[in-house]
Amino acid sequence: MSSQNRPMHDRWSFSQIVGALPPSVPFVPPEALERRMGCALRLRVGANESNFGASPRARAAMREAADGIHWYGDPEGYALREALAQKHGVHRGEIALGSGIDDLLGLFVRLFINPGDPVVTSLGAYPTFNYHVEGYGGRLHTVPYRDDCEDLQALDEIARREEPKLVYVANPDNPMGTWHHREALAALVANLPERSVLLLDEAYADFAPEEALLDPDVNGARVVHLRTFSKAHGMAGARIGYAIAPRALVEGLDKIRNHFGINRVALAGALASLGDVSYIDSVVAEVEQGRGEYARLAQSLGTRTVPSATNFVALDAGSGTRARDLVRALLERGVFVRMPSVAPLDRCIRITVGPAPERALLADEVRTAWQEV
Ligand SMILES: *Cc1c(COP(=O)(O)O)cnc(C)c1O
């Protein structure tokens, strides 16, 4: 066989772990949907991006930073980490920056997981974590949701059995939007095997009630809090997030992270956005109002939304088949939404809550699509 005709996996020898992975695409992006349809989407409400946009102060800071784009960003992220440390009452050495939570999830998996090591998460939880675990050869152990919530008790039991180095929980959760009280999380942490760390994904912390947020426990060294500027701060495209973690773990990441991976525009934008508290508060208030509107929309259709502490709602379509049909019908009308991947969560469609004019249009489209399926 000439080398041109040989299948790629004969020509190159990937690492054992990567070679054994099935081909996978964790997300079909809206851009791919637009290319497929040959036209632009009318509503992009499937990925929990903030259609309110970034704060005006963040945008101005980013425009200014763009003029300095010929310089690398500060690889120590000093000013932003200092501001975040103040916000959370921890030391700068307990803050690690990443190009989004997704990046940090990969780094923490790489920091801890040897091939074959057990890792614990929920079945149907945020998929990017699993993607990284598989990419480093970890072994996933999952427990089903219970009543549309991650089942902390079942996670606790499986963690005590498997003694994983990493347990992953998103609170508030994606894809359902539900949340646990911090006391329930504290009980989970207290019960974890000695060498386990809880990766607590708090992408939606800005939208959550105070009681949902576990205090940073940098001394106990059992919890890593993951936060992002992608959701309430409206900077998903800038790719910037952070971890609040024990100093030893932050130093561990320093051995493996991409030191210039966070661009200076994102650093400037995040710092300015942190300072624009009233803008973020106004987004959070507007989202709360929008969740109420979508709950009433669901009611008028004879169904419900799952109570949410995030910038999205899971609207119950009744069955997985009906939810899939609804997602398809909405896409045909130029509306991008997503749905959970596993039963029984997949009876819902997940809709991001945006500004009022968008909500009015979305409600019309959902009403129409609801009749069609
Ligand atoms: C959106 C989301 C992320 C991704 O955050 P980035 O900072 O944009 O990488 C991570 N976790 C959950 C639960 C999310 O919903």
Side-chain angles (χ1 to χ4, degrees), residues 41-45 51 293-294 297 330 333-337 351-352 354-369:
L41 290 161
R42 292 165 60 221
L43 281 176
R44 178 164 161 153
V45 288
N51 288 341
E293 288 175 22
Y294 285 159
L297 166 70
L330 285 167
R333 310 183 64 77
V335 179
F336 164 62
V337 299
I351 304 168
T352 310
E358 174 184 298
R359 301 200 297 269
L361 185 55
L362 188 280
D364 284 346
E365 297 297 348
V366 167
R367 269 192 216 99
T368 310

Side-chain angles (χ1 to χ4, degrees), residues 75-86:
E76 295 179 6
Y78 189 97
L80 179 60
R81 286 166 71 215
E82 189 61 42
L84 289 167
Q86 274 180 29

Side-chain angles (χ1 to χ4, degrees), residues 27 98-108 126-129 131-132 168 201 226-228 230-231 239 241:
F27 302 103
S99 41
I101 290 178
D102 287 0
D103 176 36
L104 289 159
L105 288 173
L107 288 172
F108 278 104
Y126 185 66
T128 305
F129 177 65
Y131 172 83
H132 288 305
Y168 174 84
D201 186 335
L226 297 161
R227 300 276 183 109
T228 182
S230 295
K231 304 289 159 63
R239 310 309 301 130

Side-chain angles (χ1 to χ4, degrees), residues 36-352:
R36 212 179 282 169
M37 297 189 305
C39 61
L41 290 161
R42 292 165 60 221
L43 281 176
R44 178 164 161 153
V45 288
N48 307 334
E49 297 153 322
S50 176
N51 288 341
F52 297 96
S55 105
R57 277 158 74 171
R59 286 192 240 185
M62 289 191 277
R63 272 194 293 270
E64 195 184 322
D67 289 338
I69 205 71
H70 52 288
W71 283 351
Y72 290 111
D74 173 8
E76 295 179 6
Y78 189 97
L80 179 60
R81 286 166 71 215
E82 189 61 42
L84 289 167
Q86 274 180 29
K87 171 180 161 81
H88 293 292
V90 301
H91 187 270
R92 190 180 65 252
E94 291 156 343
I95 302 280
L97 301 180
S99 41
I101 290 178
D102 287 0
D103 176 36
L104 289 159
L105 288 173
L107 288 172
F108 278 104
V109 173
R110 183 174 168 201
L111 187 62
F112 281 101
I113 299 304
N114 290 310
D117 278 352
V119 173
V120 165
T121 182
S122 301
L123 183 63
Y126 185 66
T128 305
F129 177 65
N130 303 8
Y131 172 83
H132 288 305
V133 170
E134 283 164 355
Y136 288 106
R139 239 179 334 119
L140 282 167
H141 295 265
T142 59
V143 300
Y145 279 58
R146 185 159 136 189
D147 301 329
D148 295 333
C149 295
E150 296 199 49
D151 185 344
L152 297 187
Q153 211 166 343
L155 286 167
D156 176 355
E157 280 161 26
I158 199 168
R160 276 186 287 162
R161 193 180 77 213
E162 297 294 334
E163 306 203 347
K165 291 182 187 165
L166 296 176
V167 177
Y168 174 84
V169 172
N171 194 64
D173 171 62
N174 178 8
M176 298 311 278
T178 52
W179 59 281
H180 285 289
H181 197 285
R182 65 172 154 223
E183 281 170 16
L185 291 164
L188 172 69
V189 173
N191 272 339
L192 283 181
E194 187 162 10
R195 282 176 348 117
S196 298
V197 167
L198 175 65
L199 288 184
L200 185 59
D201 186 335
E202 298 178 318
Y204 301 98
D206 299 291
F207 302 101
E210 194 60 34
E211 317 88 86
L213 301 178
L214 193 60
D215 286 331
D217 141 63
V218 286
N219 300 320
R222 318 297 303 285
V223 185
V224 170
H225 299 255
L226 297 161
R227 300 276 183 109
T228 182
F229 289 91
S230 295
K231 304 289 159 63
H233 289 266
M235 291 175 48
R239 310 309 301 130
I240 185 158
Y242 60 101
I244 311 164
R247 192 184 283 259
L249 299 193
V250 175
E251 288 169 2
L253 294 190
D254 279 339
K255 298 183 189 184
I256 56 172
R257 72 189 173 92
N258 176 5
H259 286 265
F260 295 97
I262 302 162
N263 71 79
R264 57 189 300 123
V265 172
L267 285 168
L271 188 59
S273 193
L274 269 188
D276 203 347
V277 177
S278 66
Y279 177 80
I280 303 301
D281 286 350
S282 71
V283 169
V284 169
E286 185 69 19
V287 165
E288 187 178 355
Q289 161 135 352
R291 286 194 310 253
E293 288 175 22
Y294 285 159
R296 288 189 291 280
L297 166 70
Q299 244 173 21
S300 76
L301 299 170
T303 183
R304 68 191 274 267
T305 55
V306 177
S308 166
T310 66
N311 70 338
F312 62 87
V313 293
L315 185 146
D316 193 333
S319 72
T321 313
R322 215 175 129 75
R324 253 184 305 281
D325 289 345
L326 205 50
V327 168
R328 199 175 307 126
L330 285 167
L331 186 58
E332 277 166 14
R333 310 183 64 77
V335 179
F336 164 62
V337 299
R338 282 204 178 109
M339 61 181 283
S341 58
V342 301
L345 315 181
D346 69 350
R347 69 185 195 289
C348 296
I349 63 168
R350 199 191 62 187
I351 304 168
T352 310

